[in-house]
Amino acid sequence: MTTATTARTGLWLIGARGSVATTTIAGRAALAAGLTPPTGMVTALPPFAGIGLPELDHVVVGGHDIVDVPLAKRAEQLVAGGVLPHGLPAAVAAELAAADEEIRQPGDDPAADIADFARRHGLHRTVVVNVASTETDPAISTGYATAAIEAGCSYVNFTPATGMRAPGLAERALAAGLPHAGRDGKTGQTLLRAALAPMFAQRALTVRSWSGTNLLGGGDGAALADPAAAAAKNAGKERVLADNLGAVPEGTVHIDNVPALGDWKTAWDHVAFEGFLGARMVLQTIWEGCDSALAAPLVLDLTRLVARAHAAGLAGPVPGLGFFFKDPDAGPAALGDQYQELLGLARTLRAAP
Amino acid sequence: MTTATTARTGLWLIGARGSVATTTIAGRAALAAGLTPPTGMVTALPPFAGIGLPELDHVVVGGHDIVDVPLAKRAEQLVAGGVLPHGLPAAVAAELAAADEEIRQPGDDPAADIADFARRHGLHRTVVVNVASTETDPAISTGYATAAIEAGCSYVNFTPATGMRAPGLAERALAAGLPHAGRDGKTGQTLLRAALAPMFAQRALTVRSWSGTNLLGGGDGAALADPAAAAAKNAGKERVLADNLGAVPEGTVHIDNVPALGDWKTAWDHVAFEGFLGARMVLQTIWEGCDSALAAPLVLDLTRLVARAHAAGLAGPVPGLGFFFKDPDAGPAALGDQYQELLGLARTLRAAP
Amino acid sequence: MTTATTARTGLWLIGARGSVATTTIAGRAALAAGLTPPTGMVTALPPFAGIGLPELDHVVVGGHDIVDVPLAKRAEQLVAGGVLPHGLPAAVAAELAAADEEIRQPGDDPAADIADFARRHGLHRTVVVNVASTETDPAISTGYATAAIEAGCSYVNFTPATGMRAPGLAERALAAGLPHAGRDGKTGQTLLRAALAPMFAQRALTVRSWSGTNLLGGGDGAALADPAAAAAKNAGKERVLADNLGAVPEGTVHIDNVPALGDWKTAWDHVAFEGFLGARMVLQTIWEGCDSALAAPLVLDLTRLVARAHAAGLAGPVPGLGFFFKDPDAGPAALGDQYQELLGLARTLRAAP
Amino acid sequence: MTTATTARTGLWLIGARGSVATTTIAGRAALAAGLTPPTGMVTALPPFAGIGLPELDHVVVGGHDIVDVPLAKRAEQLVAGGVLPHGLPAAVAAELAAADEEIRQPGDDPAADIADFARRHGLHRTVVVNVASTETDPAISTGYATAAIEAGCSYVNFTPATGMRAPGLAERALAAGLPHAGRDGKTGQTLLRAALAPMFAQRALTVRSWSGTNLLGGGDGAALADPAAAAAKNAGKERVLADNLGAVPEGTVHIDNVPALGDWKTAWDHVAFEGFLGARMVLQTIWEGCDSALAAPLVLDLTRLVARAHAAGLAGPVPGLGFFFKDPDAGPAALGDQYQELLGLARTLRAAP
């Protein structure tokens, strides 16, 4: 990592030793070192060039986590699971060690940890991103959102947790001039649904049922085996259908913990729809993806965009970020329209100071 | 069919006894009689209300076909194949018989047939729509496109045939003040690809291969078993990927004639893509649809939109119709963007005389 | 239905107005009248010819049901749902009406109804077959099994209900010289699992997880939305895997009620398995079937086989019928081996008086 | 590799540097060293214990190949492709080097190479196994089969090549007292078809069409892009359906070369079948497998079984090996029945000297 003379940006991860965080940290280092192309990173696409986003080699990473497994070990686990390429942990060992030094056990005053991190590194701005495994205790996620505000940081809720939507918090963020974004990153089945549901609506085809089953192992699979956590996740999935189709069709979404699948996820969707003169038709999709690999570049995207929005003086929910979320703060529901809104944000940022 | 006092519109179908045409004719009658909701018809959606489109009970149907099986019999075949509901042929028997009377064997001067049809029915405008089975002789489709111009009619090419793209034809249409649209209706696998490919592009995911197999029986299956016909069809499918992804990925599209499937089609797509740090992921889709049921309402949509464009003074390729076609005359490649363009056309038509 | 001079056989259906029963009754009539080939009926295959099975035109049908919708109406509902062909209810109207006359509301003494039916029709033997929707009250299914014994009838449990496995019942059947068979007809996902699981075992491939989701509407979908009913059904499904693989792999089976699917069922299975040197592979299956159409011919098969077994003097669980059941009384677990056992039963019956 | 004092067996691979051969060689070494369990190896199942099969640490490997890339390098390529586990090439480096020493460029007298190999190693028996990429020149495969006979070796044809079926060869093998087996290893789609097709036949369900598409990269994908090679491969696939169903249903099998998939294969099958009263149903399967990982343990199985058959005095086609092949020399067509025949062979060998 170069010692940048330009402004530096902090990324503070809640759940900093989880799969998404570890992939984010290792991936940022690999990108900064030019070891890998920025596949999967939206802000690497041409429309986002020259709009003042912080470069990845100017991003410093820290975070909170309740576990203390070193990132190097976590990275090797992800190699074994096929998420990270062989050799990567060794190639970015120094960066993993540096990040390890900046990960704290959450204590009584998490805001102090964040503020201390920003001070010590002379960071212009820090974005707090929650990528912790889905928890069911709303107080925890509220606590982190509050800490971000208290530390003067913008906040991204990449999980289905309550986050900035707890009563009063959004108002405090706005008053403090802090931008935020959320909630629940759209990485797999819901991403696909946001691309497909508009097709049915625009073609005037009636969706009669939309059923889905997700199989996943890893930490997320175990966490979502908890019915309350699954319910939070499913609410976001349902919203995508409701907003795009105008009504929630029949059908259930299952999330099964299948440890044999490790960090990989298989999602099957079955859509029964009706066409002209009542013709009954079916679309099925099977998505075999790696959530951590899909989420990590979006975490970097959001860090860059929200930091830039902060610099540009935007406060409150950043418009145009619905493209990234299952349950966005505002904006259209169709993926294509959300991308257009994101391009609009890029134009805004390009014109901003 | 009511004897309308208002302006009446002609729909002249090339391939008027085929499955798509029969479904279109029976469906138009069912809709005009209020026997069925307009599922699958885009122009029945709210944004297209009040923009001056001809009502379906003011549309008169005729056409050319080389076969002479009565429409009533063709409709019963489609009932047996599950395309049309039981009872529908009987309920619209009068309309099928009326259309039968207006179907001609193509002779030396097809334009005369069309002009005679328009004259006898006192039609303000007639739209010629090619829904003939994919033929490999370009002269045939060119002949119909020419006939439309000679008869002063707008033209819609719903097939992969050359149509209005033969040398000099588009210029003649423009000179004659005639709008046209094409080509190759987007009803199944390509519709899906146009919805999904943008997702990969917008998320910066690298599509490594996109393979597909279509199984279909019926007349289309037999016609497409001809390699030249299949090649024409596949060119349109490839264009959707090339335009959305910026490059044609690896992969082949197969079209198999499977008579056991009758008028129903199953399309399997396999997309291998790469994400962050080289993670290999796969999306598969299975589409089980009825092409005739998907195509027929779009034929009615295009008839309404092109007739209205004609009335509004538009000539040449109608902008904003790429939403309907595999290989459109112009415009964006992503389905969502094409829908936005179509909404733009609706606004244009709303403002037009 | 001919007035047979030869021995006649009774078929007494528990749940006689349900989808499976109605399909069975209409199908038996269609087969007896030569209106349809015996597709899906195992005992119509060559190895079962000449072994003394009762002919279908010598089978008389009655049964119990708590609902009183006429069979003709139920048959029309199945036509609307695509289960029965158009025209069939009319073609077998007389037989439906005759069966209607023989369906009783279950009262205090169901055995009396069965005995009365047998006596009035001069039936040599009657087979009681339970095809009632999955109920959770074990007493009900036990009551019918007891009634069969009291009426001197053999008994087939086509459902996941307790049936003849309630304490003491099998002993009573044996003492009365009555054959019986069960339980839970193997018609869709479990049929497929019984065909596929042996492949993994015989090839020494390690199945790591086997997950499945069933989507179905109709009465069965609603009944199985009850968790207790689903649990009973799933026990049978799990047994197929446990018996074939030697252990129950990871994975859950979901049964979703999706009314939009009507009488049709879609079952998705995902099997993660491991091969040489730890290679991770996946098999997925999608089964789109109609349970009533799959079950009805098996009900006729079992009626014929169990009646013949009764005539041949077999009492207690009939060996060789595991081919038909999810949770058989005895025998091998692999579908191919079960078929070999069934052929063995055919040889036994051929040699029997 | 231990210096065994007991009888040693030779395995001579045609195509010894291909993916299947490299996986076989590396896998044999890993198994002999106790580094991996024998997953995927049929002869490691209990019924094959104690029947006199050669142990893997007594098997010596050599072969012919026209390429000269060292096995260590080929093994690393397979690691990169996800076929072999990381670390395996290093763990068995000595065995790979030893096998490298025994691989010859095919010259004028391949039999001399084989005989020399056997003499130098003091091998009791050597099995020649053809695992070369599908070639279209029948003379080549005939040449190797002839060489095996001339060298006094048994022969296994794991490819779709003509092999021992060239005129006169089988007679020569029989006269020389040599057993042989073939042809075309059943590892993926055809394995699945052999498990599934009997289900339809035994349940009297009419298969109307069976369509399939195979996507594969690697050497096999490129080789099978040649239509003649694909035709040879497909003949075996069709035979499985014809023999199990009594007729070849509608449908085509495609084999597409998709380099992006590397050594992994995805096979989609679509089976349209008809049940009771004409109900139309569909089964689809998606197989994601690694051909090399599926084939290699079978190569070891066949080596062990054919060497033992040779020792037991069996000559000509070895009965009971149809379980391993698409197009076997004899025996039943259903996978389950083939397994029973294989168990019969095991009993024969157990009783043999």
Side-chain angles (χ1 to χ4, degrees), chain B residues 101-119:
Chain B
E101 291 291 311
E102 297 295 348
I103 301 179
R104 301 285 176 267
Q105 288 275 342
D108 289 343
D109 186 359
D113 295 333
I114 304 172
D116 179 60
F117 167 73
R119 187 184 46 74

Side-chain angles (χ1 to χ4, degrees), chain D residues 280-291:
Chain D
R280 300 288 176 89
M281 301 181 263
V282 172
L283 170 66
Q284 295 176 79
T285 62
I286 298 173
W287 173 271
E288 293 166 293
C290 173
D291 267 6

Side-chain angles (χ1 to χ4, degrees), chain A residues 86 284 286 288, chain D residues 86 284 286 288:
Chain A
H86 277 270
Q284 295 177 76
I286 298 172
E288 293 166 292
Chain D
H86 277 268
Q284 295 176 79
I286 298 173
E288 293 166 293

Side-chain angles (χ1 to χ4, degrees), chain D residues 35-78:
Chain D
L35 301 175
T36 187
T39 314
M41 212 170 88
V42 177
T43 52
L45 293 173
F48 302 92
I51 64 169
L53 301 182
E55 296 302 323
L56 289 179
D57 54 0
H58 297 160
V59 172
V60 187
V61 189
H64 280 117
D65 206 313
I66 54 174
V67 301
D68 54 9
V69 184
L71 286 171
K73 186 166 178 190
R74 291 290 293 116
E76 285 301 342
Q77 291 168 346
L78 293 171

Side-chain angles (χ1 to χ4, degrees), chain D residues 140-158:
Chain D
I140 294 177
S141 81
T142 306
Y144 285 117
T146 306
I149 297 174
E150 290 176 351
C153 299
S154 50
Y155 186 78
V156 174
N157 180 11
F158 207 78

